[in-house]
Amino acid sequence: MQIEFLGTGGAMAIPRPLCQCDICKEGREKGLPYSRSGPSVFIHGPNVLIDTPEDSYMQLNRSRISNIDGVFYSHWHPDHVMGRRVLESMNADWINHPAKGTTTDVYLPEQVAIDFQTRLGTAEHLAFFDSQKYISLHELSDGDKVSLNGVTITPFRLSEDYVYAFLFEGEGKRILIAPDELFGWEPPELGELDVAVLPTGVCEFHPITGERQISADHPVLKEEATFRQTLEIIEKLQVKEVFLTHIEEPDQLSFDDLKQVENTLLQNKKISFAFDTLIVDLT
Ligand SMILES: [Zn+2]
Ligand SMILES: [Zn+2]
């Protein structure tokens, strides 16, 4: 398997439109790896796309992906679904009648399917794609596994139980992908993992200076895991290598800052920050 990081930004990608902060100016001027588009990852082998942020069109065009065998959604939040019309762009045939388009399999974990019914019009939009045969929609029940190209994919709920992480097992490797929302998560027994992809968490304290960046009574701390909490979770995982993603613009950390942070992190596990277009080869 290979993990291709399509987008490593968070709900606020870098650069933010119109923003003149140093982080956004740098992202705009230098591009990769200083810019970060919306959160999405692709696993080569099973050929699985996880989530479709607004940047999906651009991300898929610049990627090495030639075929998608399954799209999985982690949760209903807009930064993970609002690029969903890419499913139409990939598959629709507007020339022939009857159409000779292609169909992409889309898998919705149990709670994601429920939330899509009431959030952002996503269920209605995907049902239209399904009716046009742009996609084939599969609703999963908790505990269901999907096998694609010899790799088994198991979605499971996090502590924020409307959000799913995914365990990929195959080709002699085990990979955990948790796109977002680790708040309150106590990792279950997942066994030995080769790689974990986790959201960075918000920086309550600046990871280099230690200065408080978010006031202690800020409501975000009651719903988002902090970077320090994420490091505690990593300590509990049996994992060889961790890639952190979902890096938020409001945390105001540049690619170079994050390189500096990497040097201060636990030495017993390899932890690094992913960047857009990074490919991790596990073959
Ligand atoms: Zn998100
Ligand atoms: Zn900015």
Side-chain angles (χ1 to χ4, degrees), residues 41-71:
V41 66
F42 187 80
I43 317 297
H44 293 271
N47 296 334
V48 164
L49 175 68
I50 297 183
D51 294 337
T52 57
E54 292 97 318
D55 298 307
S56 265
Y57 280 73
M58 174 278 287
Q59 292 174 346
L60 292 171
N61 278 325
R62 79 176 174 190
S63 77
R64 299 200 190 162
I65 300 164
S66 54
N67 181 45
I68 297 177
D69 290 320
V71 177

Side-chain angles (χ1 to χ4, degrees), residues 11 39 75 79-80 180 246:
H75 63 308
D79 53 321
H80 297 258
D180 204 358
H246 206 284

Side-chain angles (χ1 to χ4, degrees), residues 123-185:
E124 184 186 13
H125 203 177
L126 294 185
F128 169 70
F129 291 165
D130 189 81
S131 74
Q132 299 297 306
K133 298 192 167 54
Y134 305 154
I135 68 170
S136 175
L137 206 46
H138 308 276
E139 293 191 8
L140 304 174
S141 298
D142 286 347
D144 285 355
K145 297 169 186 284
V146 177
S147 271
L148 295 171
N149 307 325
V151 174
T152 303
I153 302 124
T154 311
F156 63 94
R157 292 180 193 241
L158 296 173
S159 172
E160 293 278 5
D161 67 359
Y162 63 99
V163 185
Y164 287 76
F166 304 91
L167 187 61
F168 286 74
E169 297 169 287
E171 303 175 13
K173 301 288 179 192
R174 306 182 74 246
I175 301 172
L176 169 67
I177 310 275
D180 204 358
E181 311 292 351
L182 290 188
F183 185 73
W185 190 48

